[in-house]
Amino acid sequence: MVFLKKFFVASALLASISGTAFAADLPSRVAPPVYAPPVPMFTWTGAYFGINAGYAFDHEGKFTNFGNTAVNTGVISGNRPGSVSRSSDGFTGGGQVGYNFQVPGFGGFGGPGSGIVFGMEADAAYTDLSKSGTYVGNAGGISNFRSGLDFLGTFRGRVGYAFGQFLVYGTGGFAYGGVKDNVTFANAAGVTNYSGVHNKIETGYTYGGGVEYALPTSSFLNFFKSSAVTIKAEYLHYDLGRTNVLLAAAPGSRGSYTSRVSNDGDLARIGLNYKFGSY
């Protein structure tokens, strides 16, 4: 009996040790770690379209008058001003389309997602610019000047550097605009004896720069479900050259005058772009 008692105790002890060892060999029931997919790196590469609005102002548009070709006396007795400078400002608003291509940065300068950005952009905008004036000469002659820019369009290259979702760029290229000039000379009684109109699309150049920032794709501004929404602030200077307005004589007057008008100014505006392509 003593032997059987010792046998059962030893068996129970052995079974306990074996069970513990077996349990240690079982696979763990702890859930494996969950790894979130990596967030894609933002790139400026891709096509975009957008809108812009801001403030337009021209430089002192100078009307320079040349004398009557019939009498060849220049500015007669001070009756016509030799030159007049006027400036104007107003609202501008329009839209743009373009494409950017980003090249990875040099040696990681600027951190992940940084690099040189090359692009092209075309835009067209309404411009509320109109300057005018009336001047009375020494002999009572009345001179009326009016000049305006109805719209301005550009086709520009862009080059800049991206620091992730922040872009600094310079831009420059071709510009065109709808220029309207109207000049009349009247006598002291108010009767027009010389008048001329210039209404034409003029061409020239533009340059400037700006900054742009990409918002999260979840932004409330992302109406079109694009891969990115960007906001920008931009300054442009434009120069459409000078136009000559020929003032033809009315019946009873002789010869003609010529008035030369300068057409240059600046735009300061903000914009919103919708980018499509890779994030």
Side-chain angles (χ1 to χ4, degrees):
M1 294 296 292
V2 174
F3 171 76
L4 290 176
K5 185 177 181 179
K6 291 181 178 181
F7 174 77
F8 285 122
V9 170
S11 298
L13 181 61
L14 179 62
S16 176
I17 295 173
S18 300
T20 302
F22 179 74
D25 292 335
L26 291 175
S28 173
R29 294 181 179 272
V30 178
V34 178
Y35 296 99
V39 178
M41 189 77 68
F42 177 78
T43 175
W44 287 90
T45 298
Y48 62 89
F49 73 91
I51 56 175
N52 64 74
Y55 175 69
F57 54 100
D58 63 11
H59 292 177
E60 287 194 351
K62 192 172 186 179
F63 298 84
T64 303
N65 302 310
F66 298 91
N68 191 309
T69 57
V71 295
N72 195 29
T73 56
V75 181
I76 307 171
S77 303
N79 203 28
R80 309 297 179 192
S83 65
V84 176
S85 294
R86 299 284 291 177
S87 61
S88 61
D89 55 32
F91 170 79
T92 178
Q96 66 274 344
V97 295
Y99 186 86
N100 290 320
F101 179 75
Q102 181 170 341
V103 180
F106 299 112
F109 174 71
S114 297
I116 299 176
V117 177
F118 298 96
M120 296 295 295
E121 182 173 292
D123 69 88
Y126 164 77
T127 53
D128 183 22
L129 290 177
S130 179
K131 51 182 176 283
S132 61
T134 299
Y135 304 88
V136 180
N138 295 340
I142 303 171
S143 304
N144 292 295
F145 303 88
R146 182 178 179 84
S147 180
L149 181 68
D150 290 339
F151 67 88
L152 179 72
T154 72
F155 186 75
R156 296 172 283 111
R158 301 204 314 170
V159 60
Y161 199 89
F163 299 88
Q165 293 172 238
F166 183 75
L167 173 67
V168 180
Y169 65 90
T171 183
F174 173 77
Y176 63 94
V179 175
K180 287 185 177 180
D181 301 318
N182 190 325
V183 183
T184 62
F185 291 164
N187 59 27
V191 177
T192 299
N193 43 24
Y194 298 93
S195 64
V197 177
H198 176 93
N199 186 357
K200 186 179 178 182
I201 295 178
E202 298 292 343
T203 60
Y205 63 89
T206 181
Y207 61 85
V211 294
E212 194 164 355
Y213 180 74
L215 300 172
T217 54
S218 59
S219 168
F220 74 96
L221 294 172
N222 195 359
F223 307 113
F224 300 102
K225 306 302 180 184
S226 60
S227 59
V229 180
T230 69
I231 55 175
K232 70 175 182 177
E234 184 175 65
Y235 162 84
L236 291 178
H237 172 76
Y238 68 88
D239 191 330
L240 302 179
R242 292 172 173 79
T243 55
N244 290 328
V245 183
L246 178 65
L247 278 65
S253 299
R254 294 183 303 160
S256 64
Y257 284 87
T258 299
S259 185
R260 180 174 294 169
V261 188
S262 57
N263 305 291
D264 58 340
D266 302 271
L267 305 178
R269 60 191 182 184
I270 58 175
L272 183 69
N273 286 327
Y274 294 91
K275 173 183 172 295
F276 293 88
S278 58
Y279 180 80

